[in-house]
């Protein structure tokens, strides 16, 4: 196993909705899906973690931090 990767590390699988090399939209959609899943199913619903793992593997942490701040402030530009 290579240095720096956590145990059980996996990258996001192919999604035909996002066929291009630029994965920005895929990253953003998984962030939104995670928060929608939590809102609908509740904090303890384990399948929501799938979306969290995807956005954490695709998105730069600076984006995630910015989006988290926007979610807390109520200024996130997408209805969750």
């Amino acid at each position: 196993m290579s240095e720096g990767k956590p145990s059980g590390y996996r990258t996001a699988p192919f999604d035909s909705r996002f066929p291009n090399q630029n994965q920005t939209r895929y990253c953003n959609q998984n962030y939104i899906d995670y928060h929608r899943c939590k809102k609908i199913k509740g904090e303890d619903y384990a399948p929501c973690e799938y979306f969290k793992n995807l956005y954490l593997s695709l998105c730069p942490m600076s984006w995630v931090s910015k989006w988290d701040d926007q979610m807390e402030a109520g200024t996130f530009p997408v209805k969750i």
Side-chain angles (χ1 to χ4, degrees):
M1 183 187 315
S2 65
E3 294 287 326
K5 287 187 179 180
S7 175
Y9 177 81
R10 288 185 37 165
T11 190
F14 177 75
D15 188 330
S16 61
R17 297 176 298 165
F18 310 102
N20 300 320
Q21 189 171 4
N22 184 342
Q23 296 292 293
T24 302
R25 180 81 174 118
Y26 192 17
C27 151
N28 183 263
Q29 189 61 52
N30 282 295
Y31 183 85
I32 293 167
D33 288 345
Y34 170 68
H35 287 284
R36 285 182 177 160
C37 181
K38 278 186 11 181
K39 182 179 179 182
I40 293 168
K41 299 291 187 175
E43 294 287 329
D44 298 329
Y45 190 65
C48 293
E49 294 299 310
Y50 173 77
F51 298 113
K52 183 177 182 179
N53 292 336
L54 289 178
Y55 85 72
L56 289 176
S57 74
L58 289 168
C59 302
M61 288 298 107
S62 61
W63 294 4
V64 173
S65 176
K66 177 182 172 185
W67 294 337
D68 287 342
D69 292 344
Q70 289 175 338
M71 291 286 285
E72 289 175 15
T75 58
F76 190 69
V78 176
K79 184 178 177 185
I80 301 292

